[in-house]
Amino acid sequence: MVKSYLRYEAAASFGVIASADSNVAYDSSGKHLLVAALEKLGVWHVRQGTCTKTLVPSPSSSHGASLAVTSIASSSSSLIACGYADGSIRIWDSEKGTCETTLNGHKGAVTIIRYNKLGSLLASGSKDNDIILWDVVGEAGLFRLRGHRDQVTDLVFLDSGKKLVSSSKDKFLRVWDLETQHCMQIVSGHHSEIWSIDVDPDEKYLVSGSADPELRFYMIKHDLADGKSLPDKTESDVDNGKASAQNKWEVLKHYGEIQRQIKDRVATVRFNKSGNLLACQVAGKIVEIFRVLDESESRRKAKRRVNRKKEKKASKGAGEAAENGTIENEVGNDITVTVPDIFKHVQTLRASKKICSISFSPITSRSSLATLALSLNNNLLEVYSIESTSTTKLSAIELQGHRSDVRSVTLSSDNTLLMSTSHSTVKIWNPSTGSCLRTIDSGFGLCGLFVPGNKYAVVGTKGGTLEIIDVRNGTCMEVVEAHGSSVQSIAATADGFVTGSADHEIKFWEYQTTQNPSQDSKRLTVSPVRNSRMNGDVLVVAVSPEGKYIAVALIDNTVKVFFMDSLKFFLSLYGHMLPVLCMDISSDGDLIVTGSADKNLKIWGLDFGDCHKSLFAHANSVMAVKFVRNTHYMFSVGKDRLVKYWDADKFELLLTLEGHHSEVWCLAVSNRGDFLVTGSHDRSIRRWDRTEEPFFIEEEKEKRLEEMFEADIGNAFENRYVPKEELPEEGAVALAGKKTQETVNATDSIIEALDMADEELKRLAEYEEEKSKGKVADFRPNILMLGLSPPDYVLRALSNVDTNDLEQTLLALPFSDALKILSYLKDWASLPDKVELVCRVATVLLQIHHNQLVSTVAARPVLTLLKDVLHARVKECKDTLGFNLAAMDHLKQLMAAKSDALFQDAKAKVLEIRSKYSKRTEARVEPKEERRKKKKQKKIDNGHVWS
């Protein structure tokens, strides 16, 4: 009989607050911070410091590191756009916590996403050098803009979404006209890769940052309503006709530079919502804050600068007459305001670690100029209040994760507690909920162990010490100097534990209780019983369940097995090409498995030390291996980011579990084998649960082969050996979507539906012919058509295609099938809810097959008929929409007439009331002495005498 196994699946992931590959962003309310945590998007309540929602894509959509969030943008509504490493974009509703739509178009990781002011358009840039404009309402791609020679780094909308400015690592800025879909202007001048751009809320200035020592500023020229551009008073006005013709299309005009104080490259430049502050984050620990002066302040500053220059010249007495005349003219007539006159460096914010991203809060408190959120590369979020002369750290979100990678995970005997260690802290978790219960400062923990009873734990550190931790109080009770070098491994024995160290020694320890000198209570301590010296560094120690043998892995690639009681040599297991990094002994003591840096797992018999099987397990070093208790099933993890499930009796790979985004260092399996926990370099701790779903080895092998085949198909879509087409300098426009497995499947389903509909129509024609001849028989419709008529069945197949995939799906249809669809459009146009779909299908098919349709005689009657029908149907839809809008406007006026208050958006009204309430509350808690002083000052100001 074929043996079945129970499947393990990803159940929970915790420990990551902010991943370094994405930006952070505030939502429209300013209360929540949107933070990427590997494949998840966390919505954090800033003031409470809690994660209120976690937005995770469904496991079926994709897996593994391909789903890491790389870019976030929030709209003015509750919608959030997320770009992922596989090039997809998901739009989430933050209030419902659901994914509204998935947009596929990019072939590389999404690097930047921006909404326009209304939130109706979304622009995305990617590592594939392309920019795609998306219709958020229609959930479809509009067009693709191509022209950059390297990855797009930032995007900004101008002129109410009519223009788009893009920056790239190719050192150029490009200005795109979205109405005509062409590149209007290419701006050069940077000497290195441009990393970020931004525009102030009034759209006066655009700032760009690169690795150059200065920030570059550009003036923005706007178009008026009549189509003419604003006058631009520059010296070039007197140039020849060619120069003026160039200025006609010039949207960005170079205005000046500001020298930066920090020499590291710029990572992000952002204006705050009010536009009075500019933050420049460099690729380090620094954020430079600039204040944007208004027109009167900047003119005063420019005047002072000119006067100082004049005084300096006068004091030297060496100024030339021409130069003095120029200065006097500048002072007397019109002062030229330069960039340093407008942007004034006010302060420098220094974080504790390297900053990954910054975001200004849209809400500003009364006591500060702005609130700035930072995400750091050590899994930490910090929020700062920016005052006029200083910055204050308001809060930090740090307890829910380690500052560095997780080096070891250990489960308690009842599986209710999980201990994880890193370079500076030990954390105690609830493995079922993922909540952090205790955080204890410690040394660099490499291994850990729960003491029987689960009240205490022992941690072995890189410094050679053993730390005894009180789990209940969350304190380190004692630090014991155990070894002369790092404690590499720790294993439980019947009356204590054994440690192995890089100082060539293994030591046996026993638990003792001592009286607390200051209190009446007793506390746990440990003391060494005996030790044994080895021939090299000890990497791992393992004790057999019955306590008969101890296995020691050494740096010389071998594993030595000794008798536990006498420490006499028993077996030597040799065969690995590189040092053994992990091992475990089965519950019955029959098998020992070793994992090595040579990527292999070896299964040995513990009776004679014979190697049963050598398995090529991982694509990189095997870091941890554990048997499931009372079975010969085992789990292994490696630097290739994978968790693998094995049968040690059949020497078969059962399952491969993907999910981690970096090397997996450690592994712990529960006593009952119902779940396992893994810790990784990506700072995440993941729990994998055993389900009730059975599977068979052969089925899993077939599934793995299918996945490999599908991956090859995916590579075939993008043939890397085809020479890349040379883009013109002015750029090009292309379709927004891309060919995927989904679009291919959708095309197949449409062709299948068309063929089935043709067969059914033939059968109907034959039936009608027989009926006319008098041969009456009941017509039996095709059961596969679900009781639908042929046109309805084809429409159903077409309606099932995702809006974003429609263009690519129709692009793959043969011309003969496209003609069939065109013939059905007349019938479908009569359905009011399908008019938009019919128009889209007709437009796309006409664009794709225009030349063939024009030269095909049979297509002319169909197109003539469609021309009249579609125009009439679209006009009806427009009239209906206009009527409904007018009715809603009339209702709004009626409601406003009945009420004394003006008609307002309910959400805005609620926010306004809340802000007023908070101000009143602040006023109430104002100290009595302050209120008395204000009252006194008010009376003095009004001319009253204070008695």
Side-chain angles (χ1 to χ4, degrees):
M1 187 174 172
V2 182
K3 184 173 175 58
S4 67
Y5 303 86
L6 290 178
R7 188 178 296 280
Y8 283 81
E9 288 182 350
S13 170
F14 48 92
V16 180
I17 300 169
S19 48
D21 297 330
S22 175
N23 63 312
V24 293
Y26 275 95
D27 69 346
S28 55
S29 68
K31 290 181 181 178
H32 296 96
L33 193 61
L34 311 171
V35 185
L38 302 178
E39 76 277 6
K40 298 192 293 187
L41 178 69
V43 182
W44 290 84
H45 194 289
V46 179
R47 201 166 274 182
Q48 295 173 0
T50 56
C51 187
T52 56
K53 264 192 196 72
T54 304
L55 309 175
V56 194
S58 60
S60 59
S61 56
S62 185
H63 24 220
S66 60
L67 265 188
V69 177
T70 54
S71 186
I72 303 169
S74 67
S75 69
S76 51
S77 63
S78 62
L79 294 181
I80 302 163
C82 274
Y84 291 82
D86 61 353
S88 63
I89 296 168
R90 285 174 177 78
I91 296 177
W92 300 86
D93 190 319
S94 59
E95 290 178 357
K96 297 176 189 173
T98 56
C99 180
E100 296 295 303
T101 186
T102 302
L103 307 169
N104 288 307
H106 288 294
K107 294 159 190 155
V110 179
T111 52
I112 180 68
I113 303 178
R114 285 279 186 119
Y115 276 101
N116 67 344
K117 283 183 180 176
L118 291 174
S120 58
L121 292 179
L122 183 72
S124 62
S126 166
K127 285 185 177 177
D128 62 6
N129 311 349
D130 291 349
I131 301 158
I132 300 181
L133 205 72
W134 308 90
D135 178 1
V136 178
V137 181
E139 298 179 357
L142 298 176
F143 48 86
R144 182 190 301 263
L145 299 170
R146 307 177 68 194
H148 283 295
R149 301 298 196 274
D150 207 334
Q151 81 173 47
V152 180
T153 54
D154 213 342
L155 298 166
V156 166
F157 279 100
L158 296 179
D159 281 349
S160 306
K162 291 179 184 176
K163 295 185 181 70
L164 184 74
V165 183
S166 61
S167 66
S168 168
K169 287 170 76 174
D170 63 6
K171 306 178 190 177
F172 292 105
L173 295 174
R174 282 178 179 263
V175 184
W176 307 86
D177 189 320
L178 301 181
E179 291 178 336
T180 57
Q181 300 174 17
H182 81 285
C183 181
M184 298 174 64
Q185 186 184 358
I186 302 172
V187 182
S188 60
H190 286 277
H191 304 293
S192 58
E193 299 165 339
I194 306 171
W195 287 98
S196 184
I197 58 173
D198 201 24
V199 63
D200 68 318
D202 297 333
E203 294 187 5
K204 288 182 183 176
Y205 314 107
L206 182 135
V207 58
S208 64
S210 65
D212 300 345
E214 69 276 340
L215 290 175
R216 293 175 74 88
F217 289 83
Y218 299 88
M219 292 286 281
I220 300 168
K221 188 171 74 172
H222 293 280
D223 289 340
L224 293 175
D226 59 357
K228 295 179 182 177
S229 58
L230 287 169
D232 198 6
K233 295 179 183 177
T234 60
E235 293 174 7
S236 62
D237 289 341
V238 295
D239 285 354
N240 57 25
K242 187 179 177 182
S244 60
Q246 287 175 350
N247 289 340
K248 181 185 176 184
W249 302 107
E250 196 176 71
V251 177
L252 299 181
K253 179 168 179 58
H254 184 246
Y255 188 38
E257 296 98 11
I258 290 182
Q259 292 296 319
R260 297 188 290 114
Q261 295 183 355
I262 312 300
K263 299 306 174 191
D264 294 332
R265 74 164 178 85
V266 173
T268 317
V269 286
R270 288 292 179 265
F271 284 94
N272 66 340
K273 193 176 181 181
S274 57
N276 63 340
L277 287 181
L278 170 68
C280 171
Q281 173 227 333
V282 300
K285 302 179 182 179
I286 306 293
V287 179
E288 294 182 67
I289 309 291
F290 296 89
R291 185 157 165 260
V292 185
L293 305 180
D294 59 27
E295 194 174 344
S296 58
E297 285 179 311
S298 57
R299 286 185 72 81
R300 281 199 299 272
K301 190 177 177 185
K303 195 171 182 179
R304 286 198 302 272
R305 172 177 56 79
V306 171
N307 287 338
R308 279 198 306 272
K309 191 176 179 183
K310 187 179 177 184
E311 287 168 10
K312 193 175 178 182
K313 290 274 185 185
S315 62
K316 283 186 177 180
E320 294 180 8
E323 287 180 2
N324 286 336
T326 307
I327 292 166
E328 284 169 13
N329 185 43
E330 192 176 18
V331 175
N333 300 328
D334 192 17
I335 296 166
T336 306
V337 178
T338 59
V339 171
D341 297 331
I342 300 169
F343 296 90
K344 177 187 176 185
H345 184 275
V346 287
Q347 53 189 294
T348 302
L349 189 155
R350 189 178 296 271
S352 56
K353 284 285 179 181
K354 186 180 176 183
I355 303 167
C356 296
S357 175
I358 62 170
S359 179
F360 274 111
S361 170
I363 308 298
T364 308
S365 63
R366 291 167 63 194
S367 58
S368 65
L369 293 173
T371 305
L372 187 70
L374 314 178
S375 73
L376 309 184
N377 75 338
N378 65 339
N379 199 24
L380 183 63
L381 290 173
E382 291 182 343
V383 181
Y384 286 85
S385 172
I386 299 170
E387 285 98 28
S388 52
T389 55
S390 64
T391 55
T392 310
K393 187 175 172 181
L394 297 177
S395 61
I397 299 170
E398 57 185 345
L399 291 178
Q400 290 87 344
H402 283 289
R403 301 284 74 76
S404 66
D405 46 351
V406 181
R407 297 304 306 203
S408 78
V409 287
T410 315
L411 284 163
S412 61
S413 58
D414 57 359
N415 302 326
T416 58
L417 295 175
L418 170 71
M419 179 173 70
S420 62
T421 65
S422 72
H423 85 296
S424 61
T425 55
V426 172
K427 285 184 180 286
I428 309 294
W429 307 82
N430 181 339
S432 57
T433 62
S435 57
C436 182
L437 307 176
R438 299 280 184 275
T439 300
I440 306 110
D441 291 332
S442 73
F444 198 132
L446 296 177
C447 50
L449 176 77
F450 273 99
V451 175
N454 303 324
K455 294 179 181 177
Y456 302 96
V458 181
V459 174
T461 68
K462 198 173 183 179
T465 61
L466 289 175
E467 297 185 355
I468 300 168
I469 288 164
D470 188 332
V471 175
R472 293 170 299 180
N473 298 334
T475 56
C476 181
M477 292 165 46
E478 188 182 0
V479 179
V480 180
E481 293 293 333
H483 289 276
S485 188
S486 57
V487 180
Q488 298 281 7
S489 181
I490 188 166
T493 59
D495 54 352
F497 59 92
V498 59
T499 56
S501 168
D503 64 359
H504 301 191
E505 282 195 342
I506 58 169
K507 283 190 180 181
F508 292 83
W509 304 78
E510 67 177 9
Y511 301 117
Q512 292 177 345
T513 52
T514 58
Q515 190 71 33
N516 233 341
S518 58
Q519 300 170 356
D520 296 335
S521 61
K522 292 184 177 181
R523 66 186 179 88
L524 182 83
T525 186
V526 295
S527 60
V529 180
R530 55 185 173 146
N531 66 335
S532 178
R533 190 156 188 85
M534 299 290 135
N535 296 328
D537 293 10
V538 178
L539 299 180
V540 199
V541 291
V543 177
S544 61
E546 74 280 3
K548 188 178 179 182
Y549 305 113
I550 178 169
V552 183
L554 301 175
I555 196 85
D556 63 359
N557 310 348
T558 64
V559 176
K560 301 285 193 294
V561 184
F562 301 90
F563 288 102
M564 188 79 162
D565 49 3
S566 61
L567 288 180
K568 284 186 177 178
F569 177 76
F570 173 51
L571 292 170
S572 178
L573 311 177
Y574 55 89
H576 281 292
M577 304 298 289
L578 289 169
V580 173
L581 303 176
C582 55
M583 62 181 171
D584 195 28
I585 300 172
S586 62
S587 301
D588 55 8
D590 289 348
L591 299 177
I592 177 170
V593 60
T594 56
S596 164
D598 63 8
K599 311 173 189 176
N600 289 319
L601 281 175
K602 287 186 185 288
I603 301 164
W604 315 78
L606 204 51
D607 43 4
F608 301 110
D610 56 322
C611 180
H612 291 186
K613 188 73 175 176
S614 181
L615 302 166
F616 181 70
H618 291 267
N620 211 323
S621 303
V622 184
M623 299 309 299
V625 64
K626 282 279 188 291
F627 275 105
V628 178
R629 183 175 282 190
N630 301 326
T631 69
H632 281 178
Y633 307 146
M634 60 187 184
F635 286 94
S636 68
V637 298
K639 283 187 177 179
D640 60 356
R641 310 177 181 186
L642 300 177
V643 181
K644 294 193 176 184
Y645 184 32
W646 305 85
D647 186 338
D649 289 332
K650 293 189 174 182
F651 317 125
E652 289 279 5
L653 172 63
L654 303 178
L655 280 178
T656 300
L657 304 173
E658 296 181 66
H660 279 292
H661 295 245
S662 195
E663 298 95 333
V664 189
W665 296 130
C666 48
L667 165 73
V669 183
S670 69
N671 293 335
R672 296 188 297 276
D674 54 342
F675 72 91
L676 67 141
V677 179
T678 53
S680 168
H681 182 68
D682 61 17
R683 302 187 180 98
S684 72
I685 299 170
R686 291 175 189 266
R687 194 182 85 241
W688 315 80
D689 285 358
R690 186 173 63 200
T691 63
E692 295 301 315
E693 181 193 346
F695 71 92
F696 302 96
I697 293 177
E698 291 303 320
E699 284 183 2
E700 283 304 307
K701 283 182 180 176
E702 285 177 18
K703 197 182 285 184
R704 282 196 289 272
L705 284 170
E706 281 176 16
E707 285 174 3
M708 287 170 63
F709 178 66
E710 283 181 11
D712 288 341
I713 289 176
N715 292 335
F717 292 155
E718 304 301 327
N719 194 338
R720 293 172 188 174
Y721 303 107
V722 172
K724 289 185 178 178
E725 59 176 308
E726 193 63 35
L727 286 172
E729 189 183 340
E730 66 274 10
V733 183
L735 289 176
K738 70 170 181 178
K739 193 175 183 180
T740 61
Q741 191 64 43
E742 287 76 22
T743 61
V744 172
N745 293 341
T747 305
D748 289 343
S749 66
I750 290 171
I751 293 172
E752 190 181 335
L754 285 166
D755 291 344
M756 205 177 286
D758 281 354
E759 288 294 324
E760 191 71 357
L761 287 170
K762 279 181 188 175
R763 286 183 61 231
L764 274 168
E766 287 171 6
Y767 170 72
E768 291 296 334
E769 191 179 338
E770 286 181 3
K771 193 177 176 183
S772 64
K773 290 177 182 177
K775 297 176 182 178
V776 180
D778 290 338
F779 179 76
R780 292 185 179 180
N782 189 347
I783 196 169
L784 295 176
M785 293 185 68
L786 309 172
L788 298 172
S789 66
D792 289 347
Y793 186 69
V794 178
L795 179 61
R796 178 179 172 273
L798 206 58
S799 301
N800 287 339
V801 180
D802 192 50
T803 318
N804 181 46
D805 295 335
L806 190 64
E807 283 184 347
Q808 290 293 330
T809 303
L810 296 174
L811 191 63
L813 280 177
F815 178 66
S816 57
D817 289 326
L819 270 179
K820 291 176 188 175
I821 288 179
L822 283 171
S823 65
Y824 285 121
L825 291 181
K826 178 178 70 68
D827 300 329
W828 298 341
S830 59
L831 303 170
D833 58 329
K834 298 296 180 185
V835 173
E836 188 182 349
L837 176 67
V838 168
C839 290
R840 277 200 69 194
V841 171
T843 308
V844 172
L845 290 177
L846 283 168
Q847 285 175 343
I848 295 167
H849 302 291
H850 178 264
N851 292 335
Q852 283 176 288
L853 286 169
V854 169
S855 57
T856 306
V857 179
R860 287 176 192 169
V862 178
L863 295 176
T864 310
L865 195 62
L866 277 177
K867 179 187 170 186
D868 301 330
V869 172
L870 287 184
H871 278 286
R873 292 284 177 259
V874 170
K875 190 176 184 306
E876 282 176 23
C877 281
K878 282 179 74 176
D879 291 344
T880 308
L881 286 170
F883 182 82
N884 290 338
L885 283 170
M888 288 169 72
D889 193 42
H890 181 62
L891 286 171
K892 176 180 165 181
Q893 289 172 9
L894 285 175
M895 289 173 73
K898 287 179 182 177
S899 171
D900 295 334
L902 292 168
F903 189 85
Q904 288 183 344
D905 181 19
K907 194 173 180 181
K909 188 71 178 171
V910 168
L911 289 171
E912 188 184 335
I913 291 165
R914 277 183 186 167
S915 65
K916 281 181 183 176
Y917 177 74
S918 62
K919 286 174 187 175
R920 281 180 196 163
T921 314
E922 285 173 15
R924 279 191 204 124
V925 297
E926 195 178 16
K928 190 184 280 185
E929 191 61 36
E930 289 290 326
R931 289 204 302 271
R932 193 179 292 160
K933 281 181 183 177
K934 283 184 180 178
K935 197 173 180 182
K936 182 178 178 180
Q937 187 62 42
K938 194 174 179 183
K939 288 203 172 190
I940 291 168
D941 293 343
N942 292 337
H944 297 298
V945 180
W946 180 259
S947 58

